[in-house]
Amino acid sequence: MTSPARRAALPLAAVALVAGTIGVQLGHGGGTYEPLRPADACIERPVTSQVDGIEGLTERLVLIGIDDAACTLGTSREALTLRIAQADEPTAAEIGALRRGLLSAVRRMKADGTLPPASDLVDEVLGSADLNPLLERVVRALPDSAINAALKTDDVLRRTIEGLDLRRLLRDVDDVSAIDEQIEPAVTQAVKDSLEARVRDLV
Amino acid sequence: MRRAVSVLLAVTVAMVLADSAVVTLALPDILLNLDASVGQVAWVLIAYNLVLGLAAVPAAAGLGIARPHVVSAAGIAVFAGASAWCAVAGSIEVLIVARCVQALGGALALVGCLEQLVTERGERRGVATWVTAGVVGTAAGPVVGGLLTQAISWQAIFVVQVPFAVLAVPAALAVRSTVTPPSDRHRPAVRANLTLALMSAALTAALFLLVLLLVEGWGRSPATAAVTVSVVAVAAVAAPWLVRPLRPSTEVEVATGCFLVAGGLAGLALLPSSHLGWTIAPQVLVGLGLGLTVDRLTSQAMEMRLPRARHAGWTIGARHLGVVVGLAVLTPVFTADLRDAQVPAQEAVTALVIDAPLTPQGKIAVAKTLGSALADERGQVPDLSRAFSRLDVDARDRPAAAQLERALDDQLERAANRAFRDSFLIGAGLAALALLTVVAPRRRRTS
């Protein structure tokens, strides 16, 4: 090897090694190896649940509702969830946004046809509600078409959401029995109010 | 016998310089055992390097007063005593003070051993042995420290030094120089020492940050981290052999070394995953750079300059004050970045839990467990495996929970990588500055 070639060999080899290493790393995503970035809460995303019935419906409503609330508050779904989980007391604005988000979720699910008819939920509601046995038997005997004509799922859900104490519900979020204690009366009351409203409309 | 004496003196030099970074992998253990803060633990490293850097030149001046064998023996004895003190330190404050005393003894031992190795092996071979022992010690320090911490405890790092040092004291006393140290004849090699200081700062970034990333960020054991970073030491030893056929000039070799370290650190800033395999190529670059620069620069700073020990003192000062500057610049940057990484990491974890294919009850159980795990970690990267081992979920949720645990670990590792990125890039910048000091045109001397 001639002298100039020999002098240049080491720097050239170093440049090739560094460029090769960094090039391969960038080619495999080395510049973007970062934690997930929260998605824009204002862009609708599909929501699913691993369970059926009221629990699954509630989960989907909550997921859509949090997105909507985060969009209203100008934050991400994740940031809002963490804030609610870590703060001692959610602010009035957060509670208001959550309630509006849940109501908006009901509208969205009704619009896209993912809200189940009331007859699909009746058995489950009757199983957990503390109703007069006679009345329960009567309701169970009704055909699905009669139930769906009398009760609209979106109306019941809207009334339930409006009747819930969200602040208390968030405080008890990790206590299943405490949540059930709040939701069951709210649903029962919503069903009654919805039926009354139907009857009033008929009269 | 004379060979054994030289070996013991060289091991002493390697040990003193290895101590500059030997505790890096033990820092998480020290933090827990001595109930210290991250800032206090950083001082275990800073104190040693600061005292060694400041004491080296005055220690060399001591050779004008006392004979090298006395200076060496006294230095090694103080170093050994302080090492034992470090091992029994019951608080972080005592450990930091013991480290200062250890560095003081180390400074005396380093300059004394240089004179004795020259007496034993002749000028060229003696200085070369001293320089090589220093490079090997610097590169091997974190590896040895990590293995000892994993196998025994962090105290073992200091305990194992004591018998070596006890053997080295009589060895040092056995080599008596008859030559009086020459008086001041040369000015310090400013450019070589400045390059050395900047390279030491950059290499601190490489070794200190990499082991922290492996242990704290990716949750690997100290032994795994030690074996991983041994790549740097192996490449550093191999570097001079690899470039020998090309016979480059010192300037080309040093400039290339600086460039390789800068490239290696940039590579560590751009890792594509938390798989250990991805760290190997950048570490090889750093190791080759270390092998091409530190011994060359040390030799350059000392070559033909008398008194030898005084110039060795300047190089030790430059190296270790460079380490201190590196730690002082990098520690606040990466601790702030780690703090800032918490929010994106928590949000990524939240997104995964919300979207996990778990039942609502399973999600709530995971959220509760993770919440308490995050609260227990005192600002450190949480160990999710412990949290998930306590998780009580329905049988149908278990496969999804296991998958979620892996995904969450990945997110935490991504967050840690992101947090260390700026510091690695600053390290690369320090190496690039070192390169500038090499390639910058020299001022012409006017006659």
Side-chain angles (χ1 to χ4, degrees):
Chain A
M1 207 184 285
T2 58
S3 185
R6 210 181 55 220
R7 269 205 300 273
L10 185 58
L12 286 176
V15 169
L17 281 175
V18 169
T21 301
I22 292 178
V24 169
Q25 288 187 319
L26 287 176
H28 284 80
T32 53
Y33 185 61
E34 294 176 349
L36 278 174
R37 292 205 179 137
D40 184 346
C42 298
I43 295 173
E44 275 188 19
R45 65 182 119 195
V47 291
T48 54
S49 177
Q50 299 299 304
V51 291
D52 300 320
I54 293 174
E55 200 179 3
L57 173 63
T58 309
E59 185 184 9
R60 278 178 283 145
L61 280 173
V62 168
L63 291 177
I64 298 171
I66 288 178
D67 258 337
D68 193 278
C71 177
T72 306
L73 295 168
T75 184
S76 68
R77 171 187 70 162
E78 290 74 16
L80 177 61
T81 308
L82 284 168
R83 225 210 77 66
I84 290 171
Q86 290 166 354
D88 291 337
E89 193 76 359
T91 63
E94 285 163 350
I95 292 291
L98 274 174
R99 198 181 302 278
R100 281 192 297 278
L102 290 170
L103 292 170
S104 163
V106 174
R107 284 194 297 276
R108 180 179 141 189
M109 287 182 74
K110 186 189 177 192
D112 63 21
T114 52
L115 216 51
S119 56
D120 284 8
L121 306 172
V122 126
D123 275 352
E124 209 178 331
V125 171
L126 290 176
S128 58
D130 186 21
L131 276 185
N132 177 304
L134 182 64
L135 180 60
E136 188 181 330
R137 221 172 304 153
V138 170
V139 174
R140 281 190 197 281
L142 288 171
D144 286 356
S145 56
I147 293 172
N148 293 334
L151 278 175
K152 302 293 176 198
T153 311
D154 61 311
D155 186 52
V156 174
L157 287 174
R158 189 176 52 76
R159 289 173 190 278
T160 308
I161 292 164
E162 282 168 349
L164 279 173
D165 181 351
L166 288 183
R167 202 177 288 278
R168 201 177 133 209
L169 202 67
L170 289 172
R171 214 166 29 232
D172 297 335
V173 76
D174 54 353
D175 184 346
V176 180
S177 58
I179 288 179
D180 285 346
E181 271 173 31
Q182 290 173 65
I183 289 181
E184 275 170 28
V187 171
T188 310
Q189 188 60 44
V191 169
K192 282 181 192 165
D193 292 348
S194 183
L195 283 172
E196 272 177 31
R198 289 290 292 166
V199 170
R200 263 200 307 273
D201 287 350
L202 289 172
V203 173
Chain B
M1 177 66 190
R2 290 182 66 180
R3 193 175 174 79
V5 166
S6 293
V7 168
L8 278 170
L9 293 176
V11 168
T12 303
V13 172
M15 266 191 332
V16 172
L17 292 173
D19 261 47
S20 160
V22 77
V23 290
T24 309
L25 274 162
L27 293 182
D29 273 26
I30 294 173
L31 187 136
L32 277 179
N33 288 338
L34 297 185
D35 197 23
S37 69
V38 173
Q40 284 175 314
V41 162
W43 272 95
V44 178
L45 275 178
I46 294 173
Y48 185 85
N49 285 288
L50 186 63
V51 173
L52 190 58
L54 292 176
V57 174
L63 289 175
I65 304 162
R67 294 271 176 194
H69 68 273
V70 177
V71 172
S72 290
I76 298 167
V78 171
F79 180 80
S83 293
W85 190 17
C86 286
V88 297
S91 72
I92 191 74
E93 291 81 8
V94 172
L95 179 60
I96 291 169
V97 172
R99 286 281 283 168
C100 292
V101 179
Q102 201 192 17
L104 214 54
L108 291 169
L110 281 181
V111 293
C113 285
L114 171 64
E115 291 298 321
Q116 292 188 291
L117 281 167
V118 169
T119 305
E120 273 294 286
R121 312 204 70 197
E123 175 75 30
R124 222 176 122 259
R125 290 179 68 195
V127 171
T129 305
W130 186 84
V131 171
T132 307
V135 173
V136 171
T138 304
V143 180
V144 175
L147 291 174
L148 285 168
T149 302
Q150 178 78 32
I152 309 168
S153 70
W154 68 266
Q155 288 94 339
I157 293 171
F158 299 107
V159 173
V160 295
Q161 295 179 349
V162 177
F164 282 110
V166 167
L167 287 174
V169 171
L173 289 171
V175 184
R176 299 198 179 207
S177 167
T178 50
V179 183
T180 314
S183 56
D184 269 4
R185 291 190 203 163
H186 300 104
R187 285 189 301 175
V190 175
R191 188 187 283 246
N193 280 326
L194 179 60
T195 313
L196 199 53
L198 288 166
M199 281 303 288
S200 298
L203 289 164
T204 301
L207 291 171
F208 176 65
L209 292 175
L210 182 58
V211 294
L212 278 182
L213 175 65
L214 295 175
V215 177
E216 286 292 284
W218 294 358
R220 303 297 201 279
S221 68
T224 306
V227 172
T228 305
V229 298
S230 66
V231 172
V232 173
V234 172
V237 172
W241 300 89
L242 291 173
V243 302
R244 192 170 287 174
L246 299 171
R247 282 179 286 154
S249 67
T250 300
E251 279 74 18
V252 168
E253 203 171 308
V254 170
T256 306
C258 294
F259 176 72
L260 284 168
V261 172
L265 282 160
L268 289 171
L270 298 169
L271 295 172
S273 86
S274 60
H275 193 286
L276 293 176
W278 282 109
T279 67
I280 290 175
Q283 283 194 80
V284 168
L285 298 180
V286 170
L288 292 175
L290 168 64
L292 294 182
T293 51
V294 174
D295 59 345
R296 280 290 193 164
L297 286 165
T298 308
S299 303
Q300 204 179 22
M302 291 167 60
E303 206 168 40
M304 308 297 286
R305 283 185 165 81
L306 292 171
R308 193 185 306 107
R310 175 72 61 89
H311 291 284
W314 284 113
T315 71
I316 296 163
R319 279 169 67 163
H320 292 278
L321 292 179
V323 172
V324 172
V325 168
L327 289 170
V329 170
L330 295 168
T331 306
V333 173
F334 84 81
T335 47
D337 282 354
L338 263 180
R339 204 171 43 240
D340 293 347
Q342 278 177 7
V343 172
Q346 281 179 352
E347 290 186 357
V349 165
T350 306
L352 285 175
V353 175
I354 290 175
D355 295 331
L358 291 167
T359 59
Q361 293 311 319
K363 285 182 189 180
I364 290 171
V366 169
K368 273 172 71 178
T369 309
L370 286 181
S372 55
L374 291 169
D376 288 346
E377 292 293 335
R378 297 198 302 166
Q380 290 182 281
V381 179
D383 177 3
L384 296 185
S385 59
R386 267 197 310 230
F388 272 83
S389 67
R390 298 196 295 259
L391 184 62
D392 180 23
V393 289
D394 199 80
R396 67 178 158 160
D397 276 338
R398 276 185 205 136
Q403 198 181 355
L404 178 63
E405 183 185 351
R406 285 191 293 276
L408 296 180
D409 277 332
D410 179 55
Q411 289 305 316
L412 292 179
E413 288 168 359
R414 282 167 181 269
N417 255 48
R418 182 68 194 84
F420 278 82
R421 183 172 296 172
D422 291 346
S423 301
F424 279 127
L425 289 176
I426 290 171
L430 290 167
L433 267 180
L435 175 61
L436 272 184
T437 65
V438 180
V439 299
R442 286 165 198 278
R443 208 173 46 188
R444 286 176 191 277
R445 277 197 192 136
T446 49
S447 54

